[in-house]
Amino acid sequence: MEKQVLPLDAALRGDFFRLHSTECGEGWCCCAAWWTATWDGWTDRTADENRALREELFDRNQFDGYLLYVDGRPVGWCQVGPRDRFTKLTAQLRLEPDESAWAVTCFLILPAFRRQGLARFLLSEVLTDLRRRGVQRVEAYPKPAARDDGDLWNGPESLFRSLGFRTLRDDAPRKIMSLDLTPVP
């Protein structure tokens, strides 16, 4: 199995939509949740509305994550970027502004590829790239409990712990975990 992680850019737009498609069973969200103003009405949104929001983001050069490929096929996604641009996230979790903080907000691994260590591989590669780019701190927000694998869209706490994240705050609707990154020389 050949694995590769690439930062999302304009050339990978088609692969993003191939992954976030009804064909893959993942066509509804398009990883637009944190880009909406509030959770009010979120579950009433259509797949077309979320795709349109994602298209707007791409048109504004908001390439906010990484794609995971297995044998050349996009099978995973991790949304990550400067934390303060996700205003709904910062408001919901009562986070003070911090321009140096980056946030890992969403994970998607296609069901047929789950439980193979791919989420850990993806996050490890993302963290390596962020170190190279000079990012100093990354936060994550796992849910306290998940009903099933599909409910782990923020990533499981165990994943973050396995890569060195520590609990920063445990008094919010979601646990806030943090990892200080050591720059790559």
Side-chain angles (χ1 to χ4, degrees):
M1 174 181 351
E2 183 183 329
K3 301 178 286 187
Q4 182 181 27
V5 174
L6 297 174
L8 184 62
D9 63 19
L12 300 178
R13 189 176 187 156
D15 285 348
F16 176 90
F17 285 120
R18 261 187 289 295
L19 178 65
H20 294 85
S21 70
T22 53
E23 174 187 322
C24 292
E26 303 296 336
W28 178 74
C29 180
C30 280
C31 211
W34 292 114
W35 290 101
T36 61
T38 72
W39 289 113
D40 295 337
W42 171 249
T43 57
D44 297 327
R45 291 177 62 91
T46 66
D48 288 341
E49 288 174 308
N50 290 334
R51 183 180 173 114
L53 176 53
R54 177 52 62 179
E55 292 280 10
E56 288 175 31
L57 292 168
F58 286 159
D59 290 345
R60 293 191 327 238
N61 291 318
Q62 289 287 351
F63 298 104
D64 58 344
Y66 294 78
L67 289 168
L68 166 66
Y69 293 82
V70 172
D71 296 329
R73 174 183 174 197
V75 302
W77 162 253
C78 177
Q79 183 180 53
V80 60
R83 185 195 73 190
D84 289 353
R85 72 180 174 177
F86 299 115
T87 55
K88 180 169 64 176
L89 174 78
T90 58
Q92 177 183 331
L93 300 181
R94 302 177 310 276
L95 300 169
E96 293 295 322
D98 182 350
E99 291 182 13
S100 69
W102 280 51
V104 175
T105 53
C106 294
F107 271 92
L108 167 62
I109 304 293
L110 291 181
F113 292 87
R114 292 179 184 158
R115 302 198 178 276
Q116 299 177 34
L118 292 173
R120 189 176 197 289
F121 175 78
L122 172 57
L123 183 56
S124 179
E125 292 293 302
V126 166
L127 295 173
T128 296
D129 186 60
L130 294 179
R131 278 185 185 93
R132 271 191 232 116
R133 294 171 57 190
V135 174
Q136 296 176 15
R137 190 165 59 81
V138 180
E139 292 180 355
Y141 318 96
K143 285 185 177 181
R147 294 180 296 278
D148 58 44
D149 286 350
D151 199 32
L152 291 172
W153 59 275
N154 297 110
E157 181 178 342
S158 60
L159 169 64
F160 297 112
R161 287 212 183 282
S162 76
L163 290 167
F165 282 75
R166 60 181 171 69
T167 299
L168 186 64
R169 210 172 87 202
D170 199 5
D171 64 343
R174 294 175 195 258
K175 186 173 284 195
I176 300 170
M177 300 182 78
S178 179
L179 176 67
D180 292 326
L181 298 178
T182 306
V184 173

